[in-house]
Amino acid sequence: MSVRSLLYHTLICFWVCCHGYSLAVAQTAQENISKPLSIESVQIGIDGRYRLGCWTQAKIAIQARQSYDSARVEIELQDGEGTSTIHRSLEVGIPAGESRLVTNLKIGRSQAGLVVRVYASDDQILATLPVSLDNPIIGNQFFVLTLGKNVGVRETLSLRRETEEQRTVHKNITDPQLLPEDWLGYGGVNLVVVPTSAQSVAAGLTEKQ
């Protein structure tokens, strides 16, 4: 095959790939526009960290083209024995536009992830979103939160002698929106450090928090 023929075939393949990708993107965008409701995101735990077997917070962001006076949100996950179960079934009203649903749940196993489904009042599935679960805190691991900037807590904790199974997990929280909206969401936390420099974070807390 000549160089000219090889170049020609390469350009044809490139055009076909790009054209196919453009069609796929356009189709996905059209499907998203036509959906009456979509689950935009699901945030689990405190800045993505949670402890297996303990209460933790789930924040579900929903985008709806119309309001639903009576809808049902279900969260399916695995319990500690590996059995799939509906851990939360919530009857809620969903307004048109952007909204957020906050609930608490216990995650028994992280490998299978979880699935969030939204049903209309006639049990029609409006939206489904599978969610992968990463970085669980397990066993005897110590979970420490520091509000505001780092004041040396992480460095001090690193001096502890501990095995990998006992490794301390530390999070600096500077955005109050990452914190749970009620005390149940702190179920897997061992210690919360609130230095005097955390006034800006404390000022941003809502009444529920």
Side-chain angles (χ1 to χ4, degrees):
M1 180 181 292
S2 66
V3 175
R4 179 177 296 179
S5 298
L6 180 61
L7 180 60
Y8 175 77
H9 285 288
T10 301
L11 290 174
I12 290 295
C13 291
F14 178 75
W15 181 86
V16 170
C17 291
C18 291
H19 185 64
Y21 175 77
S22 299
L23 289 176
V25 171
Q27 182 178 1
T28 301
Q30 184 61 37
E31 289 175 353
N32 289 336
I33 292 175
S34 62
K35 288 181 179 179
L37 182 146
S38 62
I39 304 170
E40 298 295 298
S41 65
V42 178
Q43 299 176 4
I44 302 295
I46 301 174
D47 197 17
R49 302 310 302 267
Y50 60 94
R51 186 185 296 277
L52 294 179
C54 293
W55 288 107
T56 192
Q57 187 169 263
K59 296 181 180 179
I60 305 170
I62 294 174
Q63 178 75 36
R65 297 178 62 191
Q66 64 185 64
S67 62
Y68 295 86
D69 295 333
S70 179
R72 187 172 81 256
V73 178
E74 289 188 351
I75 302 176
E76 180 181 353
L77 46 75
Q78 287 190 355
D79 60 19
E81 297 179 353
T83 302
S84 293
T85 181
I86 304 299
H87 195 83
R88 273 288 181 269
S89 183
L90 308 167
E91 302 291 337
V92 296
I94 298 176
E98 298 180 359
S99 62
R100 188 181 68 168
L101 174 66
V102 179
T103 186
N104 293 292
L105 49 80
K106 286 184 180 181
I107 300 172
R109 295 189 178 186
S110 61
Q111 295 90 336
L114 58 81
V115 180
V116 180
R117 299 184 183 91
V118 180
Y119 295 84
S121 57
D122 60 358
D123 287 335
Q124 173 191 359
I125 297 180
L126 298 173
T128 301
L129 182 66
V131 180
S132 59
L133 298 172
D134 303 316
N135 299 323
I137 298 171
I138 59 176
N140 296 323
Q141 286 184 290
F142 210 62
F143 188 19
V144 180
L145 296 179
T146 298
L147 303 191
K149 64 181 182 181
N150 183 27
V151 291
V153 175
R154 186 190 305 273
E155 291 75 13
T156 301
L157 291 172
S158 67
L159 299 176
R160 300 178 62 197
R161 291 185 177 180
E162 51 192 14
T163 64
E164 183 64 24
E165 291 75 16
Q166 298 172 329
R167 180 175 53 86
T168 298
V169 176
H170 177 262
K171 277 286 186 181
N172 263 103
I173 303 298
T174 57
D175 183 358
Q177 293 186 2
L178 296 175
L179 294 171
E181 293 195 0
D182 58 59
W183 63 270
L184 204 58
Y186 290 92
V189 179
N190 298 101
L191 178 66
V192 179
V193 180
V194 187
T196 55
S197 59
Q199 295 179 357
S200 61
V201 178
L205 296 175
T206 64
E207 184 176 348
K208 286 184 178 181
Q209 291 174 312

